[in-house]
Amino acid sequence: MSRFAALFGGVYIVAALVAANLRRQGRDRIGLFFIVILPFVIITVVGLALGGHSSDVQRFRLGLVVEGTGAGSAELITSLVEHPGLTVAKVAGGERELRRQIGQGSLVAGLVVPEGADSTAAALRFVMVENSGEAAVVRNNVHAALGRYGALADARRVAEAVGVTPAQVDTAVAETDPIFADIRIVPGAESLRLGFAYTAPANLVLFTFINSAAVAGALVETRRLGISRRSLAAPVRPGVLLAGEAVSRYLIALLQALLVVVVTALLFGVEWGPPAGVLVVTAAFCLVATGVAMLVGSLAKTGLQAAALAPPIGIMLGMLGGCMWPLLIVPPVLRAAGHVFPHAWAMDALLALPLRGLDGALTPLAVLLGMGIALTAGSMFMFRRSVMRMR
């Protein structure tokens, strides 16, 4: 019975500490601005700049190399430009330059229209990245754009050569479908998400990390002003006090992250993937953020110091981890350096969820969990030592 009472008392104290910390955070208007308002301002601005204002049909960038100059080639290009799911960009420099841009991720796929390409598109060469879902969508869009044109063109040629009935023309239109002569695979970016689909998860990771480190200033002041020491003067175990502070930081980080997920899904239509997978990945990264908050609470000398250091450090790690730009477009050395930190693994997991579900995010999730557990355990040990020294 005494053990049960001790356990219940510990849980009650942890709950009281969490409630007190959340009330204190709720009264911090500046902190609430950075948690509730600023992330969505940046998501909106950057998302619109990256094309988030487009229609419900996502437009993918298709590179086009035109080697022919005939009327047929011009009509083929027109049919591609008019397709609502494609943004066509002509590429100078031939197929070699086209392959380079696709490999870097600036184009999703490419199409080469050679000299003498006929109206059925039988001689077209399609260039794409292996296993790219977006490139497969582009290929289907190209098929759709050229299918109607090629069918009608074939029907017109047949009608000019011989006398046919309208039914025969309809049959020719229905059966004719463009076939690429060659589909070439190039090494490079697996998938490049644009607009709100990228900036929403990027800012979730960025602001959850920065705000967790910044709000740890309250933890620093609690330690510096002796509040933790006075709490330990009561019959409170250090582990209970530590758990209350850690759970408080975790809940603040989790609320920040879930707020970004819910608002961007409702306002901007961002597809995050399976809800269970999003929750697991978000919870894992919030564990990392909790470890960072406890670490800052252990090492910083003042709350202002924590608030001043959190943004530049968070932004620097965000740059390395792909929160400012996709790691698919940076050199391999920088990509490897980015994966030293949790931001890159969190981005890998969040970007994989809409495309491949939780199964496709298991590796980055496992790494993220390992980082979070190690960081949280180590920082809680350091915070315990710092408090005990002041006892």
Side-chain angles (χ1 to χ4, degrees):
M1 186 67 180
S2 60
R3 289 185 179 179
F4 177 78
L7 178 62
F8 179 80
V11 172
Y12 179 81
I13 293 172
V14 169
L17 285 170
V18 170
N21 285 327
L22 291 179
R23 283 196 300 269
R24 179 166 55 183
Q25 184 62 43
R27 291 193 295 265
D28 183 1
R29 295 184 179 181
I30 296 178
L32 288 177
F33 171 79
F34 283 96
I35 292 175
V36 178
I37 298 177
L38 186 60
F40 302 107
V41 173
I42 294 181
I43 288 172
T44 301
V45 173
V46 178
L48 292 176
L50 294 178
H53 62 286
S54 58
S55 62
D56 292 337
V57 178
Q58 187 172 0
R59 299 180 67 91
F60 297 99
R61 286 180 58 81
L62 172 71
L64 194 64
V65 174
V66 182
E67 299 174 350
T69 57
S73 297
E75 293 182 12
L76 286 174
I77 296 169
T78 300
S79 65
L80 293 171
V81 172
E82 293 177 349
H83 193 279
L86 297 173
T87 297
V88 179
K90 287 190 176 181
V91 177
E95 184 174 345
R96 182 176 180 180
E97 174 64 17
L98 177 69
R99 293 164 67 91
R100 186 188 71 81
Q101 293 189 28
I102 294 173
Q104 288 184 341
S106 56
L107 295 172
V108 176
L111 191 67
V112 180
V113 182
E115 185 72 39
D118 59 27
S119 59
T120 63
L124 301 184
R125 299 194 299 274
F126 190 80
V127 185
M128 62 179 287
V129 174
E130 188 175 10
N131 297 327
S132 170
E134 291 181 349
V137 173
V138 171
R139 185 173 62 186
N140 291 337
N141 288 343
V142 172
H143 267 291
L146 301 184
R148 181 69 177 173
Y149 162 75
L152 291 175
D154 277 350
R156 285 196 297 267
R157 286 204 304 270
V158 171
E160 291 175 357
V162 297
V164 295
T165 65
Q168 290 174 312
V169 175
D170 292 340
T171 300
V173 171
E175 293 179 352
T176 306
D177 182 55
I179 300 175
F180 299 119
D182 190 14
I183 297 178
R184 304 187 178 187
I185 306 299
V186 300
E190 176 184 325
S191 178
L192 184 64
R193 302 181 72 189
L194 299 175
F196 296 118
Y198 188 86
T199 187
N203 281 282
L204 181 152
V205 172
L206 183 66
F207 279 97
T208 300
F209 185 91
I210 291 177
N211 287 331
S212 293
V215 300
L219 191 61
V220 176
E221 293 302 308
T222 297
R223 175 175 56 84
R224 188 178 69 86
L225 296 175
I227 298 175
S228 299
R229 183 176 66 251
R230 292 194 295 271
S231 299
L232 290 174
V236 178
R237 294 181 179 180
V240 174
L241 174 65
L242 202 61
E245 296 292 355
V247 172
S248 299
R249 310 306 149 192
Y250 186 82
L251 287 179
I252 292 173
L254 189 62
L255 289 173
Q256 160 88 89
L258 294 180
L259 182 65
V260 173
V261 172
V262 172
V263 172
T264 54
L266 294 177
L267 294 185
F268 306 124
V270 175
E271 295 183 3
W272 288 91
V278 176
L279 182 60
V280 171
V281 172
T282 301
F285 186 73
C286 288
L287 191 62
V288 172
T290 301
V292 171
M294 299 298 291
L295 183 63
V296 172
S298 303
L299 300 178
K301 295 182 179 180
T302 66
L304 290 177
Q305 186 181 70
L309 291 177
I313 294 176
I315 290 173
M316 180 186 69
L317 296 181
M319 289 179 176
L320 287 172
C323 297
M324 304 297 180
W325 45 73
L327 290 182
L328 298 174
I329 66 173
V330 304
V333 174
L334 287 180
R335 194 177 309 138
H339 281 85
V340 174
F341 304 101
H343 296 62
W345 295 104
M347 288 298 297
D348 288 348
L350 289 172
L351 294 176
L353 285 173
L355 299 176
R356 298 185 296 276
L358 184 57
D359 291 342
L362 288 179
T363 298
L365 175 59
V367 176
L368 200 60
L369 275 173
M371 288 182 170
I373 292 171
L375 183 59
T376 301
S379 60
M380 288 179 70
F381 174 77
M382 294 179 63
F383 185 77
R384 178 190 176 104
R385 288 187 60 186
S386 67
V387 172
M388 293 298 291
R389 283 197 302 266
M390 302 175 66
R391 188 171 180 176

